Amino acid sequence: QVQLVESGGGLVQAGDSVRLSCAASGRTSSSGAMGWFRQAPGKEREFVATITWSGATTKYADSVKGRFTISRDTAKNTMSLQMNSLKPEDTAVYYCASRASRLLSVKVVEYEYWGQGTQVTVSS
């Protein structure tokens, strides 16, 4: 079993920056990819960014490309999401996720483990 705990959310203004962190514990995979997803009220959970275990390869949703940066510290078993130039439409609960496969994935169903989520609210 893998436990994921997100932190770093909050209420910010449009244009501000926020850094989310995800701490992994338990039977973490030594090579699995990880990702960030988000879910706004009344909407389905959607892909934000994903990263390989080494951190060498990343992929972003078009809506956040150039504004968000995903990173990973394998020594500390943590993953982060630096979010800059935030917009009101970025308001959502952000979830950290991990999968056993080393392949990147943008699909919710392909991640086995999920954190409880952290709220990010961007006011205009």
Side-chain angles (χ1 to χ4, degrees):
Q1 194 75 2
V2 175
Q3 291 80 43
L4 302 173
V5 179
E6 304 96 335
S7 61
L11 173 62
V12 298
Q13 293 187 331
D16 284 352
S17 297
V18 167
R19 186 176 183 87
L20 304 182
S21 295
C22 173
S25 61
R27 300 182 65 178
T28 55
S29 168
S30 62
S31 62
M34 295 186 72
W36 287 99
F37 289 76
R38 66 187 182 185
Q39 188 167 17
K43 295 187 176 181
E44 293 188 351
R45 194 168 299 189
E46 66 175 9
F47 166 74
V48 175
T50 182
I51 188 169
T52 53
W53 176 79
S54 68
T57 305
T58 58
K59 184 178 179 65
Y60 297 90
D62 288 343
S63 60
V64 307
K65 202 172 295 183
R67 300 187 299 122
F68 291 10
T69 302
I70 189 172
S71 61
R72 190 166 182 177
D73 186 333
T74 54
K76 297 181 178 179
N77 248 348
T78 59
M79 178 179 66
S80 297
L81 184 69
Q82 178 66 40
M83 306 188 294
N84 298 329
S85 303
L86 283 163
K87 305 175 181 180
E89 50 263 43
D90 293 319
T91 294
V93 176
Y94 283 73
Y95 296 90
C96 165
S98 71
R99 61 194 306 246
S101 170
R102 65 183 64 200
L103 299 177
L104 297 180
S105 174
V106 304
K107 299 179 180 180
V108 170
V109 296
E110 293 186 350
Y111 286 80
E112 293 92 0
Y113 301 103
W114 293 84
Q116 81 289 348
T118 185
Q119 177 72 47
V120 174
T121 303
V122 185
S123 64
S124 58

